[in-house]
Amino acid sequence: MPTTGKIPQPITSPGISVPTYAIDLTEAMADGETSTAIIMSIAAIEGRDPLDLDPMFGDIETDSLNMMFKSQSTSLSVGFITNGWDVQLYGSGEAVFEREISLPEASESQSERPTA
């Protein structure tokens, strides 16, 4: 299975309260391996074997995704949820992974914030 050879980097910002990572997938996109690079990135973030993750084909049409991003159009962007991650892909090659949280988790996150 191909790998990006890169590790997604955490994004930290005062406005971001859920785990968020970014990685450049330009090379994988050009090779038509966008979907594989996404799974490899999620596995790297979670410290898991990629084969232990759920296949993406139930969440998005992977062949179409690979074909769309192979053309490298900077105006292209696609978002979807897979394996508990909100994935945003951009034609520039950037991929952003934000952990999907449930409503109870979101409520807990809000209640943990200090009040003024």
Side-chain angles (χ1 to χ4, degrees):
M1 186 177 289
T3 180
T4 63
K6 300 176 186 175
I7 298 173
Q9 299 300 306
I11 299 173
T12 56
S13 172
I16 299 176
S17 61
V18 295
T20 305
Y21 297 82
I23 188 169
D24 182 352
L25 298 180
T26 304
E27 189 176 315
M29 288 177 175
D31 291 342
E33 295 290 339
T34 303
S35 59
T36 300
I38 291 167
I39 287 295
M40 298 297 285
S41 296
I42 292 171
I45 291 168
E46 295 185 355
R48 296 174 58 189
D49 185 316
L51 298 176
D52 291 339
L53 297 174
D54 292 331
M56 281 181 25
F57 57 78
D59 303 319
I60 192 165
E61 204 331 288
T62 55
D63 290 337
S64 296
L65 182 72
N66 293 337
M67 294 287 287
M68 278 192 314
F69 282 95
K70 194 170 183 174
S71 67
Q72 294 186 327
S73 168
T74 56
S75 62
L76 180 63
S77 67
V78 172
F80 59 97
I81 295 173
T82 188
N83 285 283
W85 290 90
D86 181 357
V87 179
Q88 299 294 318
L89 298 174
Y90 301 95
S92 64
E94 181 183 29
V96 177
F97 300 84
E98 182 176 281
R99 188 61 153 152
E100 182 184 37
I101 58 173
S102 65
L103 289 178
E105 287 176 289
S107 296
E108 288 172 17
S109 173
Q110 293 292 329
S111 66
E112 291 174 8
R113 291 187 179 169
T115 56

